[in-house]
Amino acid sequence: MHTDIEATANKLACDPRISDYDFWRSLRNINNELFQIANNNGPIPIEMLRWRVILRQARSKRGVA
C-alpha cells in the first residue's frame, strides 16, 4: 500500500497539467469534507484518508509545504 501511495504521489507531482493551486484546492476540499463527516460522527472513508496522504506527498515533492 505504501508503494502505491508513493508511486501515485510521484506521478501526480510530475504531471505538468496539475497546478500547485489544484493540489491546494483538492487538499482543502478533502479536509473540509473530512471535518464535516467527523462533526456529524459519521464513518470516515479510508479512501479519503489515502487521497489526503497522496495529495500532501505530491504537493511536498513539488516543494510546496
Side-chain angles (χ1 to χ4, degrees):
M1 177 85 126
H2 179 1
T3 307
D4 181 42
I5 289 173
E6 188 75 25
T8 305
N10 285 335
K11 186 186 286 188
L12 288 175
C14 294
D15 191 343
R17 297 173 295 173
I18 303 172
S19 70
D20 292 338
Y21 176 77
D22 292 332
F23 281 120
W24 175 81
R25 186 79 242 171
S26 297
L27 192 54
R28 183 172 171 161
N29 287 342
I30 288 176
N31 283 334
N32 287 342
E33 186 81 22
L34 289 171
F35 178 77
Q36 285 191 346
I37 291 170
N39 268 355
N40 294 325
N41 294 323
I44 296 178
I46 296 297
E47 194 64 21
M48 285 183 77
L49 296 176
R50 181 178 164 273
W51 275 106
R52 183 170 69 172
V53 169
I54 289 170
L55 289 172
R56 279 184 180 166
Q57 284 187 11
R59 194 168 179 233
S60 173
K61 288 177 188 300
R62 282 230 178 144
V64 180

